Structures are given as structure tokens and as C-alpha cells.
Amino acid sequence: MLNLQLGIRYTVGKISQEPRHEIGSSDFGPQACVELRFPRSGSRLTPCHESVDFRWKDYCPKVFRHLREMFKIDTADYMLSICGNDALRELASPGKSGSVFFLSHDDRYIIKTLRKSEVKVLLGMLPSYYHHVQMYENMLITKFFGVHRVKPFGGRKVRFVVMGNMLCTDLHIHRRYDLKGSLQGRWTDNGEIDENTTLKDLDLKYVFQLEPSWREALLKQLVCDCRLLESQGIMDYSVLLGLHFRAPQHSATLSPELSTVPTNLTHSSCVTYANEQAGRFAEMGCSHRGLVLVPRQPGNETSTPGLHVRGSPLRAPAGGDGEVDLLLPGTARRLQIQLGVNMPARADRRFDENDACREDKVLEEVHDVVLYLGIIDILQAYGVTKRIEHAYKSLHYDPLSISAVGPKVYAKRFQEFVSSIFPPTTNQTN
Ligand code: ATP
Ligand code: CA
Ligand code: CA
């Protein structure tokens, strides 16, 4: 982890000092990689450090520099989030693939170790991905900020990607789902369901009513994103869906303090107040870095970094449950870009009463939700292993119900599934 942080600090620092130029085809591909040694004792280019000697490799650093800029990532912020002391914490392995995950202390970045084949897929699709990011500001696909490799002296090569955390929000995520649109084996079998359980397709009991224009925008974007993945021969990706419930019993802990916020704060007393609140939120298990109140009047907005509480005077939003919108540093715009989507919605039952779907007490009670979603795990090509898995499982199950299918079938099924959990409201046509 220390090697990784040293490497990222070096790479990001160095590249940000170079003059900017347009990206060309020579910035992609294996020839655009940079390798460097980090001896313990330091070198002309690298600092001395406490870890073992290691070799560092950067994949297409110029392209990722541009990508970070397009994603509105501030370089100093980025380094602070990832490279500070205690900045990263390892997550209890969330996937089955054996990849190791780290989360930055501010929850904004996830670092995932990749197999060599996954790096190859990523580099292969990078030109198309780059183009896609340029085209679609609200793409749902994971945001990649850098790909690197570390080789400690006498050790194995470890490759990893830095990406955006799809569920980075100061609203509490009460339920999370990893959805593929395939059914075979797609449920969780460990007893209790709670906030930390990643649930699957068959655990999802609800469909979501979105405001029609949101729904249309979401499904359109989904089509564009799937088209990219299909064109790259990718399958096995998921929608990661996070739900925040807006019912009074869930937001009550946040509302009492906020509803009594003084409305005549000066800028500096506002920041002090905000930081006090930040401490309180932290105790309640909400993570963020400071808090700023943003007046509602246009043109009168503070740009101070920090958590933004919108609405001045603070009051309950239209939903009426006393909750206040909490936005991440860098204003709502950045939050939207970071998540793709942050949508209020209404949850309705997906299965009928007799369905053998698992009970989930929280879902029984609440209906107003805020949704966070994005497409993750997009580096699996339909190669030999997946083809064998397809052939083998097809002997036992309906071939369309298993997750290992070709990219075209995968994309179609995936889109149909996502559309089905966002049905049109009664007065909408499809
Ligand atoms: P497998 O291939 O077996 O599905 P994996 O090791 O490739 O597993 P992922 O599917 O990428 O792992 O991720 C596993 C879990 O980690 C996801 O279900 C999700 O909960 C979390 N996760 C992965 N990427 C992100 C992300 N960008 N933002 C938030 N959470 C993520
Ligand atoms: Ca996965
Ligand atoms: Ca995977």
C-alpha cells in the first residue's frame, strides 16, 4: 500500500507539471507506459522511503491525466485523498474474483487490484472509453483515474486501478445491490440483511418510479454505455444500486439539529457551525469533510470546499420528512458527475405477496428513496474461461439465466432488466 501511495504521488505530481497537450494515438497503448525504480535510499527522481525497493509502472499517464480533468478531479485533492497517512483502508474482499479493494479515507476512491488480463482489456478499450467520457458527461460506467503496477523487490507484480466510488454520498446507503440481469445463483445466502450486505438480483423486491424525464435520460444513457461495452466484447458487468430511504424513522437522526440552524450566519460563523455539525454527523456514522451551508439564492453561493447543505434557511424539502440535501465537496455538479446519478424515486413492490423473495423489514416500511447507481466491473472479456463456463452451465441451466453469456446477449438482457426495474409510470408510454 505504501508503494502504491508513493508511486501515485510521484506520477500525479510529475504529470501535472508537464505542459498539457492534446491526446493523440501515441498516448494510448503499451508504448505509452512509463517505468521507474523506487530504491529505499531514494534517487534523483524518487524520494527515500521506508518500504522495500520496488519498481513502478504507469499505464498511459497522459490519458489518465486528461480523464481526471474531465471528471473534474482536482490534483491536490486527489493526492490528499489517496496518498496521506492512513488514507487507505482495505475492504473485506467484496468480490469473488479474489481482487483486493482499498477505500480512500474520504470514501471517494476505490482501488482494486486487477489481473493482467483485465489491464489488457482496460488498455484495449481506453481509446473508446476516453471518447465515451468526452461524449457523455453523465455516463453510468465506472470512472477510472489511473492504472498502475507495483513490483516489490523479490515479489510479484501487482496491478491496480483507481476508480470512483459509486456509492460515495453523505446520505446513508441503507441497501446496496449488485445486479446483472441474470437469475442463476443471483441471491445472497448469508442470514441477516443489513447496510453492508451486497444483495443481488433475486433479493430485489422493488421497482422504482422515477420522474419521467429522469427515467428517459437514465435508460438512454444505459443504452449508450452498453453499446460501448458490447463493442469491446465485455460482459459480466453489474449495476451497483444504492438506496437511501427517506422515511422519517431513517432521517430523524439528522433532522433535529439541522432544522434549528441559525439563518443569519456570516460566512466564517457558518463554517464554524458547519464543522461542529460535521463532528456530529461523523458520530452518527456519516462520513464527510467539513460542512458548508449554501444559500439558496442563485449567484450567492459559496465555493468553499466542504460538505454542502443546501437550502437557507434550512427547512424540510418538498418530501416533508425533515431531511436536508447533503452534497459532497465541490458542489452538486461534482457529486452528479461522480455518481452519474442521484435520483429521488418511489419504490413499489416488484414481486407479489406469494413470491418466495426474502423478507427485508426496512423495505416493508419505506417508499421514498434516493437512488445511486452505476455500472461496475467492466473489465471481463468473453474469453476462453467464460466460454467454458457458459458451455458447462448451459448443460444444467437455461443458458439465458446464467451470467456467462456473450457480450451481445449480455447487454440486451442487462438493459431489459434495468428497464424492468424502472417501469414507466401509468401515464407514460414505453
Ligand atoms: P466478481 O468478478 O466475482 O464479481 P470482482 O472482484 O471483480 O468480483 P467487483 O464486482 O468489481 O469485484 O466488485 C465487488 C463489489 O465491490 C461490488 O459488488 C460492489 O459492492 C463493490 N464495488 C466495486 N466497484 C465499486 C465502485 N466503483 N464503487 C462502489 N463499490 C464498488
Ligand atoms: Ca462483479
Ligand atoms: Ca470481475
Side-chain angles (χ1 to χ4, degrees), residues 155-225:
R156 275 191 316 117
K157 291 172 181 164
V158 183
R159 301 162 181 87
F160 55 89
V161 62
V162 185
M163 56 190 175
N165 178 3
M166 294 278 180
L167 302 184
C168 176
T169 162
D170 287 281
L171 291 187
H172 193 68
I173 300 291
H174 294 97
R175 286 292 179 269
R176 62 184 69 214
Y177 297 86
D178 182 301
L179 306 168
K180 292 186 174 182
S182 63
L183 299 177
Q184 187 51 50
R186 297 293 296 162
W187 69 84
T188 48
D189 38 19
N190 48 335
E192 272 293 291
I193 298 175
D194 67 20
E195 284 99 7
N196 301 316
T197 320
T198 300
L199 296 156
K200 297 185 187 168
D201 300 59
L202 290 170
D203 301 313
L204 182 65
K205 292 172 78 172
Y206 278 71
V207 295
F208 303 96
Q209 298 283 337
L210 287 176
E211 204 269 307
S213 64
W214 285 78
R215 174 179 180 273
E216 192 186 331
L218 172 73
L219 297 183
K220 256 195 188 150
Q221 188 59 48
L222 184 77
V223 172
C224 299
D225 291 351

Side-chain angles (χ1 to χ4, degrees), residues 219-238:
L219 297 183
K220 256 195 188 150
Q221 188 59 48
L222 184 77
V223 172
C224 299
D225 291 351
C226 283
R227 200 181 300 138
L228 170 75
L229 299 175
E230 187 186 326
S231 74
Q232 301 299 311
I234 306 292
M235 39 78 69
D236 223 20
Y237 43 89
S238 306

Side-chain angles (χ1 to χ4, degrees), residues 177 179-183 186 200-208 241 347-353 355 357 363 367 416-423:
Y177 297 86
L179 306 168
K180 292 186 174 182
S182 63
L183 299 177
R186 297 293 296 162
K200 297 185 187 168
D201 300 59
L202 290 170
D203 301 313
L204 182 65
K205 292 172 78 172
Y206 278 71
V207 295
F208 303 96
L241 172 69
D348 290 325
R349 283 190 79 83
R350 180 174 170 221
F351 299 114
D352 65 40
E353 302 295 329
D355 207 290
C357 194
L363 282 175
H367 289 281
E416 281 169 4
F417 175 75
V418 177
S419 308
S420 79
I421 62 171
F422 296 105

